[in-house]
Amino acid sequence: MLDVTVIEDAAAAAVSLDPMRARLLAELAVGPASATMLAGRVGLPRQKVNYHLKALERHGLVELAGERRKGNVTERLMRATAASYVISPLALAAVQPDPARFRDQLSARWLLAVAARLVRDVGALITGATKARKRLATYALDGEVRFASAADRAAFVDELTRGVGALIAKYHDEHADNGRDHRIVVALHPTVKPGTLKPDTVGPEPVTAEAAGPAGAGPAVESRGNTSDALPAVRASHPASPTHAQE
């Protein structure tokens, strides 16, 4: 079982969002179970559970883990294909966020569009790497910092922007014949307290700033807006094919 997998198909996303099917996925992420076993847990007739399981199986969200005999009946033991799932913006391809369409770098919604693109691209890369049976070279850094004041936050943003911009300038080589582009995203936003992940409790909209290199122009650093309130999203482009796995 994978730790997390991405759902890119709209039909599969719709199946996973059904409340009962989501409940069955959660049950099967804990361990394999038959329709009879699940029926007792979720309070549905076995036939109804079987109907939902077949829908989940058609879209690759659950799979056969084994079979067992129970009297004259052979029970199929099903399991979830992943412990958790992420729905890619590709599932809503016609309306997926596009950071290039509205580049208001001081908007939390622009930061959200960048994050959505990250989910889409990494999900597609994982799919391609899996098909090609290759490893995918990625890196993530996740942490928290508490600022004593807005001035400290502004200083942090300035140092982060200059530091990442310097690293991009140092290692970027647009003339490398065998090089491969990579995207860098650095985001800073207020921490959301556990148990408050609801649309009406998130708080005021933060702002973002970006240090970016335009395509084909090499790296450049740009800081916009009031740096005392600016929160950065720093990137370098990587227009790699989604199905091209990292060697």
Side-chain angles (χ1 to χ4, degrees):
M1 178 189 294
L2 300 171
D3 290 334
V4 60
T5 194
V6 62
I7 298 174
E8 298 176 320
D9 178 68
V15 166
S16 70
L17 290 173
D18 176 89
M20 179 50 66
R21 291 168 182 171
R23 170 77 186 278
L24 292 173
L25 280 176
E27 293 287 344
L28 293 174
V30 176
S34 67
T36 301
M37 296 165 63
L38 291 168
R41 299 178 194 174
V42 302
L44 283 182
R46 179 181 58 81
Q47 293 83 353
K48 272 284 190 181
V49 172
N50 256 328
Y51 168 77
H52 290 308
L53 289 177
K54 287 179 181 178
L56 292 168
E57 188 176 14
R58 279 197 303 272
H59 294 284
L61 301 175
V62 302
E63 62 187 5
L64 183 66
E67 295 179 336
R68 70 177 183 182
R69 293 285 299 178
K70 194 172 184 180
N72 295 326
V73 178
T74 299
E75 287 189 331
R76 301 176 80 228
L77 296 174
M78 307 301 294
R79 65 184 174 197
T81 54
S84 56
Y85 300 84
V86 174
I87 296 178
S88 168
L90 286 176
L92 292 170
V95 292
Q96 64 178 303
D98 181 4
R101 189 165 58 236
F102 55 97
R103 296 181 62 83
D104 181 0
Q105 297 169 342
L106 303 181
S107 168
R109 289 176 175 81
W110 184 79
L111 176 58
L112 184 63
V114 172
R117 181 184 60 193
L118 179 66
V119 170
R120 181 199 67 192
D121 290 355
V122 174
L125 287 166
I126 288 174
T127 299
T130 301
K131 290 179 179 178
R133 298 182 180 274
K134 293 184 178 181
R135 293 175 60 88
L136 181 63
T138 61
Y139 169 78
L141 177 65
D142 181 32
E144 292 190 1
V145 56
R146 174 175 292 187
F147 298 112
S149 65
D152 284 351
R153 185 178 64 189
F156 178 87
V157 167
D158 182 64
E159 188 172 344
L160 179 66
T161 302
R162 287 187 285 105
V164 174
L167 277 174
I168 292 173
K170 179 179 179 180
Y171 288 100
H172 177 72
D173 186 351
E174 61 183 88
H175 302 298
D177 292 336
N178 296 320
R180 183 175 181 187
D181 294 336
H182 285 68
R183 185 178 298 281
I184 303 167
V185 176
V186 180
L188 180 67
H189 63 80
T191 301
V192 179
K193 295 180 179 179
T196 62
L197 290 175
K198 298 178 181 179
D200 58 348
T201 59
V202 173
E205 175 179 300
V207 293
T208 63
E210 180 188 39
V221 177
E222 177 187 8
S223 179
R224 295 181 54 191
N226 184 346
T227 56
S228 65
D229 293 321
L231 304 180
V234 185
R235 72 176 177 85
S237 63
H238 91 302
S241 168
T243 57
H244 180 189
Q246 176 73 30
E247 286 83 8

mmCIF file with all atom_site columns, all heavy atoms in Angstrom, residues 128-153:
data_model
loop_
_atom_site.group_PDB
_atom_site.id
_atom_site.type_symbol
_atom_site.label_atom_id
_atom_site.label_alt_id
_atom_site.label_comp_id
_atom_site.label_asym_id
_atom_site.label_entity_id
_atom_site.label_seq_id
_atom_site.pdbx_PDB_ins_code
_atom_site.Cartn_x
_atom_site.Cartn_y
_atom_site.Cartn_z
_atom_site.occupancy
_atom_site.B_iso_or_equiv
_atom_site.pdbx_formal_charge
_atom_site.auth_seq_id
_atom_site.auth_comp_id
_atom_site.auth_asym_id
_atom_site.auth_atom_id
_atom_site.pdbx_PDB_model_num
ATOM 1   N N   . GLY A 1 128 ? 4.050  9.109  -14.094 1.00 0.00 ? 128 GLY A N   1
ATOM 2   C CA  . GLY A 1 128 ? 5.000  8.784  -15.145 1.00 0.00 ? 128 GLY A CA  1
ATOM 3   C C   . GLY A 1 128 ? 6.151  7.944  -14.653 1.00 0.00 ? 128 GLY A C   1
ATOM 4   O O   . GLY A 1 128 ? 6.577  6.995  -15.329 1.00 0.00 ? 128 GLY A O   1
ATOM 5   N N   . ALA A 1 129 ? 6.662  8.263  -13.464 1.00 0.00 ? 129 ALA A N   1
ATOM 6   C CA  . ALA A 1 129 ? 7.779  7.490  -12.916 1.00 0.00 ? 129 ALA A CA  1
ATOM 7   C C   . ALA A 1 129 ? 7.355  6.061  -12.610 1.00 0.00 ? 129 ALA A C   1
ATOM 8   O O   . ALA A 1 129 ? 8.127  5.117  -12.811 1.00 0.00 ? 129 ALA A O   1
ATOM 9   C CB  . ALA A 1 129 ? 8.308  8.173  -11.656 1.00 0.00 ? 129 ALA A CB  1
ATOM 10  N N   . THR A 1 130 ? 6.124  5.902  -12.130 1.00 0.00 ? 130 THR A N   1
ATOM 11  C CA  . THR A 1 130 ? 5.623  4.558  -11.826 1.00 0.00 ? 130 THR A CA  1
ATOM 12  C C   . THR A 1 130 ? 5.517  3.724  -13.091 1.00 0.00 ? 130 THR A C   1
ATOM 13  O O   . THR A 1 130 ? 5.925  2.557  -13.124 1.00 0.00 ? 130 THR A O   1
ATOM 14  C CB  . THR A 1 130 ? 4.254  4.640  -11.133 1.00 0.00 ? 130 THR A CB  1
ATOM 15  O OG1 . THR A 1 130 ? 4.382  5.399  -9.918  1.00 0.00 ? 130 THR A OG1 1
ATOM 16  C CG2 . THR A 1 130 ? 3.730  3.253  -10.797 1.00 0.00 ? 130 THR A CG2 1
ATOM 17  N N   . LYS A 1 131 ? 4.975  4.332  -14.149 1.00 0.00 ? 131 LYS A N   1
ATOM 18  C CA  . LYS A 1 131 ? 4.851  3.608  -15.417 1.00 0.00 ? 131 LYS A CA  1
ATOM 19  C C   . LYS A 1 131 ? 6.215  3.250  -15.997 1.00 0.00 ? 131 LYS A C   1
ATOM 20  O O   . LYS A 1 131 ? 6.399  2.178  -16.577 1.00 0.00 ? 131 LYS A O   1
ATOM 21  C CB  . LYS A 1 131 ? 4.058  4.446  -16.413 1.00 0.00 ? 131 LYS A CB  1
ATOM 22  C CG  . LYS A 1 131 ? 2.582  4.587  -16.074 1.00 0.00 ? 131 LYS A CG  1
ATOM 23  C CD  . LYS A 1 131 ? 1.876  5.455  -17.103 1.00 0.00 ? 131 LYS A CD  1
ATOM 24  C CE  . LYS A 1 131 ? 0.389  5.584  -16.775 1.00 0.00 ? 131 LYS A CE  1
ATOM 25  N NZ  . LYS A 1 131 ? -0.315 6.469  -17.748 1.00 0.00 ? 131 LYS A NZ  1
ATOM 26  N N   . ALA A 1 132 ? 7.175  4.159  -15.853 1.00 0.00 ? 132 ALA A N   1
ATOM 27  C CA  . ALA A 1 132 ? 8.513  3.930  -16.398 1.00 0.00 ? 132 ALA A CA  1
ATOM 28  C C   . ALA A 1 132 ? 9.395  3.101  -15.469 1.00 0.00 ? 132 ALA A C   1
ATOM 29  O O   . ALA A 1 132 ? 10.522 2.775  -15.816 1.00 0.00 ? 132 ALA A O   1
ATOM 30  C CB  . ALA A 1 132 ? 9.194  5.275  -16.689 1.00 0.00 ? 132 ALA A CB  1
ATOM 31  N N   . ARG A 1 133 ? 8.875  2.791  -14.281 1.00 0.00 ? 133 ARG A N   1
ATOM 32  C CA  . ARG A 1 133 ? 9.637  2.048  -13.270 1.00 0.00 ? 133 ARG A CA  1
ATOM 33  C C   . ARG A 1 133 ? 10.965 2.736  -12.961 1.00 0.00 ? 133 ARG A C   1
ATOM 34  O O   . ARG A 1 133 ? 12.026 2.118  -12.938 1.00 0.00 ? 133 ARG A O   1
ATOM 35  C CB  . ARG A 1 133 ? 9.879  0.601  -13.724 1.00 0.00 ? 133 ARG A CB  1
ATOM 36  C CG  . ARG A 1 133 ? 8.614  -0.212 -13.916 1.00 0.00 ? 133 ARG A CG  1
ATOM 37  C CD  . ARG A 1 133 ? 8.906  -1.633 -14.322 1.00 0.00 ? 133 ARG A CD  1
ATOM 38  N NE  . ARG A 1 133 ? 7.693  -2.399 -14.506 1.00 0.00 ? 133 ARG A NE  1
ATOM 39  C CZ  . ARG A 1 133 ? 7.039  -3.042 -13.532 1.00 0.00 ? 133 ARG A CZ  1
ATOM 40  N NH1 . ARG A 1 133 ? 7.507  -2.970 -12.289 1.00 0.00 ? 133 ARG A NH1 1
ATOM 41  N NH2 . ARG A 1 133 ? 5.942  -3.715 -13.787 1.00 0.00 ? 133 ARG A NH2 1
ATOM 42  N N   . LYS A 1 134 ? 10.881 4.044  -12.759 1.00 0.00 ? 134 LYS A N   1
ATOM 43  C CA  . LYS A 1 134 ? 12.062 4.833  -12.425 1.00 0.00 ? 134 LYS A CA  1
ATOM 44  C C   . LYS A 1 134 ? 11.825 5.615  -11.143 1.00 0.00 ? 134 LYS A C   1
ATOM 45  O O   . LYS A 1 134 ? 10.693 5.887  -10.761 1.00 0.00 ? 134 LYS A O   1
ATOM 46  C CB  . LYS A 1 134 ? 12.403 5.797  -13.567 1.00 0.00 ? 134 LYS A CB  1
ATOM 47  C CG  . LYS A 1 134 ? 12.871 5.118  -14.840 1.00 0.00 ? 134 LYS A CG  1
ATOM 48  C CD  . LYS A 1 134 ? 13.281 6.142  -15.877 1.00 0.00 ? 134 LYS A CD  1
ATOM 49  C CE  . LYS A 1 134 ? 13.808 5.483  -17.136 1.00 0.00 ? 134 LYS A CE  1
ATOM 50  N NZ  . LYS A 1 134 ? 14.233 6.490  -18.145 1.00 0.00 ? 134 LYS A NZ  1
ATOM 51  N N   . ARG A 1 135 ? 12.917 5.959  -10.501 1.00 0.00 ? 135 ARG A N   1
ATOM 52  C CA  . ARG A 1 135 ? 12.836 6.776  -9.294  1.00 0.00 ? 135 ARG A CA  1
ATOM 53  C C   . ARG A 1 135 ? 12.644 8.240  -9.686  1.00 0.00 ? 135 ARG A C   1
ATOM 54  O O   . ARG A 1 135 ? 13.121 8.690  -10.728 1.00 0.00 ? 135 ARG A O   1
ATOM 55  C CB  . ARG A 1 135 ? 14.114 6.632  -8.456  1.00 0.00 ? 135 ARG A CB  1
ATOM 56  C CG  . ARG A 1 135 ? 14.289 5.239  -7.862  1.00 0.00 ? 135 ARG A CG  1
ATOM 57  C CD  . ARG A 1 135 ? 15.633 5.122  -7.160  1.00 0.00 ? 135 ARG A CD  1
ATOM 58  N NE  . ARG A 1 135 ? 15.760 6.082  -6.078  1.00 0.00 ? 135 ARG A NE  1
ATOM 59  C CZ  . ARG A 1 135 ? 15.354 5.868  -4.827  1.00 0.00 ? 135 ARG A CZ  1
ATOM 60  N NH1 . ARG A 1 135 ? 14.792 4.726  -4.513  1.00 0.00 ? 135 ARG A NH1 1
ATOM 61  N NH2 . ARG A 1 135 ? 15.512 6.781  -3.888  1.00 0.00 ? 135 ARG A NH2 1
ATOM 62  N N   . LEU A 1 136 ? 11.971 8.960  -8.836  1.00 0.00 ? 136 LEU A N   1
ATOM 63  C CA  . LEU A 1 136 ? 11.717 10.375 -9.073  1.00 0.00 ? 136 LEU A CA  1
ATOM 64  C C   . LEU A 1 136 ? 12.476 11.187 -8.031  1.00 0.00 ? 136 LEU A C   1
ATOM 65  O O   . LEU A 1 136 ? 12.292 10.999 -6.827  1.00 0.00 ? 136 LEU A O   1
ATOM 66  C CB  . LEU A 1 136 ? 10.215 10.654 -8.981  1.00 0.00 ? 136 LEU A CB  1
ATOM 67  C CG  . LEU A 1 136 ? 9.758  12.082 -9.231  1.00 0.00 ? 136 LEU A CG  1
ATOM 68  C CD1 . LEU A 1 136 ? 10.086 12.508 -10.654 1.00 0.00 ? 136 LEU A CD1 1
ATOM 69  C CD2 . LEU A 1 136 ? 8.257  12.204 -8.969  1.00 0.00 ? 136 LEU A CD2 1
ATOM 70  N N   . ALA A 1 137 ? 13.363 12.075 -8.501  1.00 0.00 ? 137 ALA A N   1
ATOM 71  C CA  . ALA A 1 137 ? 14.184 12.874 -7.592  1.00 0.00 ? 137 ALA A CA  1
ATOM 72  C C   . ALA A 1 137 ? 13.402 14.112 -7.151  1.00 0.00 ? 137 ALA A C   1
ATOM 73  O O   . ALA A 1 137 ? 13.140 15.012 -7.938  1.00 0.00 ? 137 ALA A O   1
ATOM 74  C CB  . ALA A 1 137 ? 15.477 13.292 -8.279  1.00 0.00 ? 137 ALA A CB  1
ATOM 75  N N   . THR A 1 138 ? 12.998 14.138 -5.892  1.00 0.00 ? 138 THR A N   1
ATOM 76  C CA  . THR A 1 138 ? 12.304 15.298 -5.339  1.00 0.00 ? 138 THR A CA  1
ATOM 77  C C   . THR A 1 138 ? 12.861 15.602 -3.958  1.00 0.00 ? 138 THR A C   1
ATOM 78  O O   . THR A 1 138 ? 13.577 14.796 -3.354  1.00 0.00 ? 138 THR A O   1
ATOM 79  C CB  . THR A 1 138 ? 10.792 15.049 -5.214  1.00 0.00 ? 138 THR A CB  1
ATOM 80  O OG1 . THR A 1 138 ? 10.568 13.945 -4.316  1.00 0.00 ? 138 THR A OG1 1
ATOM 81  C CG2 . THR A 1 138 ? 10.166 14.737 -6.571  1.00 0.00 ? 138 THR A CG2 1
ATOM 82  N N   . TYR A 1 139 ? 12.499 16.758 -3.446  1.00 0.00 ? 139 TYR A N   1
ATOM 83  C CA  . TYR A 1 139 ? 12.937 17.172 -2.112  1.00 0.00 ? 139 TYR A CA  1
ATOM 84  C C   . TYR A 1 139 ? 11.884 18.116 -1.544  1.00 0.00 ? 139 TYR A C   1
ATOM 85  O O   . TYR A 1 139 ? 11.304 18.927 -2.280  1.00 0.00 ? 139 TYR A O   1
ATOM 86  C CB  . TYR A 1 139 ? 14.287 17.894 -2.191  1.00 0.00 ? 139 TYR A CB  1
ATOM 87  C CG  . TYR A 1 139 ? 14.680 18.585 -0.905  1.00 0.00 ? 139 TYR A CG  1
ATOM 88  C CD1 . TYR A 1 139 ? 15.199 17.858 0.165   1.00 0.00 ? 139 TYR A CD1 1
ATOM 89  C CD2 . TYR A 1 139 ? 14.531 19.959 -0.758  1.00 0.00 ? 139 TYR A CD2 1
ATOM 90  C CE1 . TYR A 1 139 ? 15.556 18.491 1.347   1.00 0.00 ? 139 TYR A CE1 1
ATOM 91  C CE2 . TYR A 1 139 ? 14.885 20.598 0.417   1.00 0.00 ? 139 TYR A CE2 1
ATOM 92  C CZ  . TYR A 1 139 ? 15.404 19.858 1.473   1.00 0.00 ? 139 TYR A CZ  1
ATOM 93  O OH  . TYR A 1 139 ? 15.744 20.488 2.639   1.00 0.00 ? 139 TYR A OH  1
ATOM 94  N N   . ALA A 1 140 ? 11.614 17.985 -0.265  1.00 0.00 ? 140 ALA A N   1
ATOM 95  C CA  . ALA A 1 140 ? 10.666 18.893 0.390   1.00 0.00 ? 140 ALA A CA  1
ATOM 96  C C   . ALA A 1 140 ? 11.193 19.265 1.764   1.00 0.00 ? 140 ALA A C   1
ATOM 97  O O   . ALA A 1 140 ? 11.814 18.453 2.449   1.00 0.00 ? 140 ALA A O   1
ATOM 98  C CB  . ALA A 1 140 ? 9.296  18.236 0.515   1.00 0.00 ? 140 ALA A CB  1
ATOM 99  N N   . LEU A 1 141 ? 10.957 20.496 2.141   1.00 0.00 ? 141 LEU A N   1
ATOM 100 C CA  . LEU A 1 141 ? 11.335 20.998 3.462   1.00 0.00 ? 141 LEU A CA  1
ATOM 101 C C   . LEU A 1 141 ? 10.091 21.581 4.102   1.00 0.00 ? 141 LEU A C   1
ATOM 102 O O   . LEU A 1 141 ? 9.419  22.437 3.515   1.00 0.00 ? 141 LEU A O   1
ATOM 103 C CB  . LEU A 1 141 ? 12.421 22.065 3.328   1.00 0.00 ? 141 LEU A CB  1
ATOM 104 C CG  . LEU A 1 141 ? 12.869 22.752 4.635   1.00 0.00 ? 141 LEU A CG  1
ATOM 105 C CD1 . LEU A 1 141 ? 13.548 21.746 5.557   1.00 0.00 ? 141 LEU A CD1 1
ATOM 106 C CD2 . LEU A 1 141 ? 13.808 23.912 4.322   1.00 0.00 ? 141 LEU A CD2 1
ATOM 107 N N   . ASP A 1 142 ? 9.769  21.117 5.282   1.00 0.00 ? 142 ASP A N   1
ATOM 108 C CA  . ASP A 1 142 ? 8.572  21.586 5.974   1.00 0.00 ? 142 ASP A CA  1
ATOM 109 C C   . ASP A 1 142 ? 8.940  21.955 7.396   1.00 0.00 ? 142 ASP A C   1
ATOM 110 O O   . ASP A 1 142 ? 9.572  21.165 8.102   1.00 0.00 ? 142 ASP A O   1
ATOM 111 C CB  . ASP A 1 142 ? 7.505  20.484 5.962   1.00 0.00 ? 142 ASP A CB  1
ATOM 112 C CG  . ASP A 1 142 ? 6.226  20.908 6.652   1.00 0.00 ? 142 ASP A CG  1
ATOM 113 O OD1 . ASP A 1 142 ? 5.902  22.111 6.605   1.00 0.00 ? 142 ASP A OD1 1
ATOM 114 O OD2 . ASP A 1 142 ? 5.546  20.046 7.241   1.00 0.00 ? 142 ASP A OD2 1
ATOM 115 N N   . GLY A 1 143 ? 8.599  23.140 7.821   1.00 0.00 ? 143 GLY A N   1
ATOM 116 C CA  . GLY A 1 143 ? 8.934  23.566 9.172   1.00 0.00 ? 143 GLY A CA  1
ATOM 117 C C   . GLY A 1 143 ? 8.053  24.722 9.610   1.00 0.00 ? 143 GLY A C   1
ATOM 118 O O   . GLY A 1 143 ? 7.211  25.215 8.849   1.00 0.00 ? 143 GLY A O   1
ATOM 119 N N   . GLU A 1 144 ? 8.238  25.141 10.828  1.00 0.00 ? 144 GLU A N   1
ATOM 120 C CA  . GLU A 1 144 ? 7.484  26.266 11.369  1.00 0.00 ? 144 GLU A CA  1
ATOM 121 C C   . GLU A 1 144 ? 8.448  27.245 12.025  1.00 0.00 ? 144 GLU A C   1
ATOM 122 O O   . GLU A 1 144 ? 9.485  26.856 12.563  1.00 0.00 ? 144 GLU A O   1
ATOM 123 C CB  . GLU A 1 144 ? 6.443  25.802 12.388  1.00 0.00 ? 144 GLU A CB  1
ATOM 124 C CG  . GLU A 1 144 ? 5.301  25.002 11.792  1.00 0.00 ? 144 GLU A CG  1
ATOM 125 C CD  . GLU A 1 144 ? 4.178  24.771 12.788  1.00 0.00 ? 144 GLU A CD  1
ATOM 126 O OE1 . GLU A 1 144 ? 4.285  25.258 13.934  1.00 0.00 ? 144 GLU A OE1 1
ATOM 127 O OE2 . GLU A 1 144 ? 3.194  24.110 12.418  1.00 0.00 ? 144 GLU A OE2 1
ATOM 128 N N   . VAL A 1 145 ? 8.104  28.505 11.960  1.00 0.00 ? 145 VAL A N   1
ATOM 129 C CA  . VAL A 1 145 ? 8.898  29.541 12.601  1.00 0.00 ? 145 VAL A CA  1
ATOM 130 C C   . VAL A 1 145 ? 7.944  30.533 13.260  1.00 0.00 ? 145 VAL A C   1
ATOM 131 O O   . VAL A 1 145 ? 6.901  30.870 12.693  1.00 0.00 ? 145 VAL A O   1
ATOM 132 C CB  . VAL A 1 145 ? 9.817  30.256 11.568  1.00 0.00 ? 145 VAL A CB  1
ATOM 133 C CG1 . VAL A 1 145 ? 9.019  30.828 10.416  1.00 0.00 ? 145 VAL A CG1 1
ATOM 134 C CG2 . VAL A 1 145 ? 10.649 31.352 12.245  1.00 0.00 ? 145 VAL A CG2 1
ATOM 135 N N   . ARG A 1 146 ? 8.266  30.968 14.472  1.00 0.00 ? 146 ARG A N   1
ATOM 136 C CA  . ARG A 1 146 ? 7.451  31.964 15.167  1.00 0.00 ? 146 ARG A CA  1
ATOM 137 C C   . ARG A 1 146 ? 8.224  33.279 15.189  1.00 0.00 ? 146 ARG A C   1
ATOM 138 O O   . ARG A 1 146 ? 9.336  33.348 15.723  1.00 0.00 ? 146 ARG A O   1
ATOM 139 C CB  . ARG A 1 146 ? 7.141  31.512 16.596  1.00 0.00 ? 146 ARG A CB  1
ATOM 140 C CG  . ARG A 1 146 ? 6.406  32.570 17.421  1.00 0.00 ? 146 ARG A CG  1
ATOM 141 C CD  . ARG A 1 146 ? 6.001  32.059 18.787  1.00 0.00 ? 146 ARG A CD  1
ATOM 142 N NE  . ARG A 1 146 ? 4.963  31.045 18.666  1.00 0.00 ? 146 ARG A NE  1
ATOM 143 C CZ  . ARG A 1 146 ? 4.318  30.524 19.712  1.00 0.00 ? 146 ARG A CZ  1
ATOM 144 N NH1 . ARG A 1 146 ? 4.649  30.911 20.938  1.00 0.00 ? 146 ARG A NH1 1
ATOM 145 N NH2 . ARG A 1 146 ? 3.390  29.612 19.532  1.00 0.00 ? 146 ARG A NH2 1
ATOM 146 N N   . PHE A 1 147 ? 7.631  34.300 14.596  1.00 0.00 ? 147 PHE A N   1
ATOM 147 C CA  . PHE A 1 147 ? 8.272  35.615 14.545  1.00 0.00 ? 147 PHE A CA  1
ATOM 148 C C   . PHE A 1 147 ? 7.819  36.461 15.734  1.00 0.00 ? 147 PHE A C   1
ATOM 149 O O   . PHE A 1 147 ? 6.632  36.491 16.073  1.00 0.00 ? 147 PHE A O   1
ATOM 150 C CB  . PHE A 1 147 ? 7.915  36.327 13.236  1.00 0.00 ? 147 PHE A CB  1
ATOM 151 C CG  . PHE A 1 147 ? 8.377  35.619 12.007  1.00 0.00 ? 147 PHE A CG  1
ATOM 152 C CD1 . PHE A 1 147 ? 7.464  35.054 11.127  1.00 0.00 ? 147 PHE A CD1 1
ATOM 153 C CD2 . PHE A 1 147 ? 9.728  35.480 11.725  1.00 0.00 ? 147 PHE A CD2 1
ATOM 154 C CE1 . PHE A 1 147 ? 7.878  34.390 9.990   1.00 0.00 ? 147 PHE A CE1 1
ATOM 155 C CE2 . PHE A 1 147 ? 10.162 34.821 10.588  1.00 0.00 ? 147 PHE A CE2 1
ATOM 156 C CZ  . PHE A 1 147 ? 9.230  34.272 9.725   1.00 0.00 ? 147 PHE A CZ  1
ATOM 157 N N   . ALA A 1 148 ? 8.769  37.127 16.333  1.00 0.00 ? 148 ALA A N   1
ATOM 158 C CA  . ALA A 1 148 ? 8.451  37.996 17.463  1.00 0.00 ? 148 ALA A CA  1
ATOM 159 C C   . ALA A 1 148 ? 7.733  39.258 17.022  1.00 0.00 ? 148 ALA A C   1
ATOM 160 O O   . ALA A 1 148 ? 6.987  39.865 17.801  1.00 0.00 ? 148 ALA A O   1
ATOM 161 C CB  . ALA A 1 148 ? 9.727  38.357 18.224  1.00 0.00 ? 148 ALA A CB  1
ATOM 162 N N   . SER A 1 149 ? 7.947  39.659 15.775  1.00 0.00 ? 149 SER A N   1
ATOM 163 C CA  . SER A 1 149 ? 7.345  40.904 15.298  1.00 0.00 ? 149 SER A CA  1
ATOM 164 C C   . SER A 1 149 ? 7.232  40.866 13.781  1.00 0.00 ? 149 SER A C   1
ATOM 165 O O   . SER A 1 149 ? 7.855  40.042 13.110  1.00 0.00 ? 149 SER A O   1
ATOM 166 C CB  . SER A 1 149 ? 8.196  42.107 15.720  1.00 0.00 ? 149 SER A CB  1
ATOM 167 O OG  . SER A 1 149 ? 9.467  42.061 15.072  1.00 0.00 ? 149 SER A OG  1
ATOM 168 N N   . ALA A 1 150 ? 6.448  41.807 13.247  1.00 0.00 ? 150 ALA A N   1
ATOM 169 C CA  . ALA A 1 150 ? 6.336  41.931 11.795  1.00 0.00 ? 150 ALA A CA  1
ATOM 170 C C   . ALA A 1 150 ? 7.679  42.316 11.184  1.00 0.00 ? 150 ALA A C   1
ATOM 171 O O   . ALA A 1 150 ? 7.998  41.918 10.064  1.00 0.00 ? 150 ALA A O   1
ATOM 172 C CB  . ALA A 1 150 ? 5.272  42.965 11.441  1.00 0.00 ? 150 ALA A CB  1
ATOM 173 N N   . ALA A 1 151 ? 8.472  43.068 11.930  1.00 0.00 ? 151 ALA A N   1
ATOM 174 C CA  . ALA A 1 151 ? 9.793  43.459 11.426  1.00 0.00 ? 151 ALA A CA  1
ATOM 175 C C   . ALA A 1 151 ? 10.700 42.235 11.267  1.00 0.00 ? 151 ALA A C   1
ATOM 176 O O   . ALA A 1 151 ? 11.455 42.126 10.292  1.00 0.00 ? 151 ALA A O   1
ATOM 177 C CB  . ALA A 1 151 ? 10.430 44.470 12.374  1.00 0.00 ? 151 ALA A CB  1
ATOM 178 N N   . ASP A 1 152 ? 10.631 41.314 12.226  1.00 0.00 ? 152 ASP A N   1
ATOM 179 C CA  . ASP A 1 152 ? 11.416 40.079 12.114  1.00 0.00 ? 152 ASP A CA  1
ATOM 180 C C   . ASP A 1 152 ? 10.963 39.254 10.919  1.00 0.00 ? 152 ASP A C   1
ATOM 181 O O   . ASP A 1 152 ? 11.783 38.670 10.199  1.00 0.00 ? 152 ASP A O   1
ATOM 182 C CB  . ASP A 1 152 ? 11.279 39.247 13.391  1.00 0.00 ? 152 ASP A CB  1
ATOM 183 C CG  . ASP A 1 152 ? 12.104 39.800 14.542  1.00 0.00 ? 152 ASP A CG  1
ATOM 184 O OD1 . ASP A 1 152 ? 12.902 40.730 14.302  1.00 0.00 ? 152 ASP A OD1 1
ATOM 185 O OD2 . ASP A 1 152 ? 11.948 39.307 15.674  1.00 0.00 ? 152 ASP A OD2 1
ATOM 186 N N   . ARG A 1 153 ? 9.655  39.216 10.707  1.00 0.00 ? 153 ARG A N   1
ATOM 187 C CA  . ARG A 1 153 ? 9.145  38.474 9.561   1.00 0.00 ? 153 ARG A CA  1
ATOM 188 C C   . ARG A 1 153 ? 9.618  39.111 8.257   1.00 0.00 ? 153 ARG A C   1
ATOM 189 O O   . ARG A 1 153 ? 10.007 38.418 7.322   1.00 0.00 ? 153 ARG A O   1
ATOM 190 C CB  . ARG A 1 153 ? 7.618  38.424 9.595   1.00 0.00 ? 153 ARG A CB  1
ATOM 191 C CG  . ARG A 1 153 ? 7.014  37.568 8.483   1.00 0.00 ? 153 ARG A CG  1
ATOM 192 C CD  . ARG A 1 153 ? 5.507  37.508 8.580   1.00 0.00 ? 153 ARG A CD  1
ATOM 193 N NE  . ARG A 1 153 ? 4.905  38.818 8.381   1.00 0.00 ? 153 ARG A NE  1
ATOM 194 C CZ  . ARG A 1 153 ? 3.615  39.087 8.572   1.00 0.00 ? 153 ARG A CZ  1
ATOM 195 N NH1 . ARG A 1 153 ? 2.817  38.131 9.005   1.00 0.00 ? 153 ARG A NH1 1
ATOM 196 N NH2 . ARG A 1 153 ? 3.142  40.297 8.344   1.00 0.00 ? 153 ARG A NH2 1
#
